[in-house]
């Protein structure tokens, strides 16, 4: 049988804010070693603002003996969220220009597309995906749309936790560290960190490695993304 995984990533703004999460019962559980860095808050305005979001749908095949392999991954969709220039703070970190924000799309529009694709999938996933889920939930509250709890009725696969469990790692590695550990490609393809679509691609690479148990090598097959 087949499983569809909704793989997504966000980039956020307002770096002077701490990384808040919604109160217990409205959040996805975070890794225990991350909790000291988080403060619980009922106020969605305490969150960093959503600046950019990207997602793909990954299709995996599960055989009768529970062996798994990745079949396909759709090309990541990428959206910059509209922001008035006076609210713009992300240029140096995320490489999102003022024009990208000015010509960005509304959160309500992006969320409608997000939900349509999410409903096609049994699993929601990402790298440290709890943070992304909680931030998106806060945006729903602030924009007064959708239900808080986008992960309801979905399995949640945190690629960070899966990677740590596979390699018995106790320290929270960055996505770039995981990606660079698992491949031998040159540095030219490792320059776009903090772009949501690239981070989706890199997360897919790590997830595919974990699902397929492929060796760390330079074969094109390990990086292949096809249209679903």
């Amino acid at each position: 049988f087949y499983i569809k995984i909704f793989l997504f990533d966000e980039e956020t703004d307002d770096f002077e804010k701490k990384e808040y999460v919604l109160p217990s019962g409205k959040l996805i559980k975070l890794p225990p070693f991350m909790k000291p860095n988080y403060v619980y808050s009922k106020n969605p305005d305490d969150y960093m603002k959503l600046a950019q979001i990207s997602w793909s749908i990954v299709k995996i095949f599960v055989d009768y003996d529970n062996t798994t392999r990745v079949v396909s991954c759709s090309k990541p969709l990428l959206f910059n969220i509209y922001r008035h220039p006076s609210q713009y703070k992300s240029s140096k970190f995320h490489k999102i220009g003022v024009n990208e924000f000015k010509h960005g799309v509304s959160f309500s529009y992006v969320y409608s597309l997000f939900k349509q694709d999410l409903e096609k999938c049994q699993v929601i996933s990402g790298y440290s995906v709890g943070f992304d889920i909680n931030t998106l939930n806060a945006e729903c509250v602030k924009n007064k749309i959708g239900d808080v709890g986008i992960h309801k009725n979905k399995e949640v696969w945190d690629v960070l936790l899966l990677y740590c469990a596979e390699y018995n790692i106790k320290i929270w590695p960055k996505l770039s560290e995981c990606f660079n550990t698992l491949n031998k490609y040159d540095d030219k393809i490792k320059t776009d960190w903090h772009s949501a679509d690239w981070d989706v691609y890199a997360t897919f690479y790590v997830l595919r490695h974990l699902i397929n148990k492929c060796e760390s090598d330079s074969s094109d097959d390990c990086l292949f993304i096809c249209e679903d």
Side-chain angles (χ1 to χ4, degrees):
F1 64 97
Y2 292 92
I3 295 175
K4 285 189 175 181
I5 303 169
F6 186 88
L7 187 66
F8 82 110
D9 183 78
E10 303 165 357
E11 303 301 339
T12 52
D13 206 346
D14 273 9
F15 301 118
E16 73 276 8
K17 291 182 179 291
K18 294 182 180 179
E19 297 176 354
Y20 288 82
V21 295
L22 292 173
S24 179
K26 294 184 179 179
L27 56 85
I28 183 66
K29 185 177 287 187
L30 300 166
F33 46 83
M34 291 171 61
K35 286 184 178 179
N37 300 322
Y38 282 71
V39 177
Y40 290 84
S41 174
K42 294 181 180 180
N43 182 3
D45 291 327
D46 289 337
Y47 282 70
M48 292 185 283
K49 295 182 179 69
L50 182 65
Q52 191 181 72
I53 188 168
S54 180
W55 67 85
S56 291
I57 295 178
V58 180
K59 188 176 181 180
I60 68 172
F61 176 71
V62 183
D63 211 339
Y64 67 92
D65 59 356
N66 286 329
T67 57
T68 56
R69 62 182 175 87
V70 172
V71 176
S72 65
C73 178
S74 60
K75 184 177 180 180
L77 296 175
L78 177 68
F79 296 96
N80 296 314
I81 307 302
Y82 171 77
R83 189 78 50 76
H84 189 276
S86 64
Q87 299 174 307
Y88 172 74
K89 300 177 183 179
S90 285
S91 62
K92 292 183 180 179
F93 194 67
H94 295 308
K95 302 176 184 177
I96 308 171
V98 174
N99 284 334
E100 280 81 358
F101 269 147
K102 286 173 63 177
H103 297 97
V105 295
S106 69
F107 175 76
S108 59
Y109 171 75
V110 173
Y111 185 73
S112 66
L113 299 179
F114 182 98
K115 287 285 287 183
Q116 288 176 24
D117 280 349
L118 179 60
E119 288 171 1
K120 301 173 185 175
C121 302
Q122 296 91 0
V123 177
I124 186 169
S125 183
Y127 194 86
S128 187
V129 71
F131 171 75
D132 296 312
I133 289 174
N134 294 328
T135 302
L136 199 61
N137 283 337
E139 288 288 341
C140 289
V141 173
K142 285 187 285 189
N143 288 275
K144 299 180 180 179
I145 59 172
D147 296 325
V148 174
I150 61 166
H151 59 292
K152 290 189 298 186
N153 303 317
K154 305 290 182 186
E155 286 189 49
V156 179
W157 293 6
D158 191 329
V159 176
L160 166 62
L161 295 185
L162 294 173
Y163 181 87
C164 289
E166 178 70 18
Y167 295 102
N168 195 28
I169 297 173
K170 303 299 183 183
I171 300 174
W172 178 23
K174 295 179 181 179
L175 174 58
S176 57
E177 294 170 340
C178 297
F179 180 85
N180 292 339
T181 297
L182 294 175
N183 82 82
K184 297 179 181 178
Y185 286 78
D186 64 42
D187 291 336
K188 292 180 181 178
I189 66 168
K190 307 174 194 172
T191 59
D192 294 324
W193 304 110
H194 300 296
S195 173
D197 56 342
W198 170 254
D199 287 359
V200 166
Y201 168 79
T203 303
F204 165 68
Y205 181 90
V206 177
L207 179 63
R208 178 170 181 161
H209 179 96
L210 295 171
I211 290 173
N212 288 1
K213 306 296 184 184
C214 61
E215 296 296 326
S216 297
D217 61 21
S218 59
S219 69
D220 290 340
D221 184 59
C222 276
L223 277 173
F224 181 66
I225 295 183
C226 65
E227 299 291 348
D228 193 8

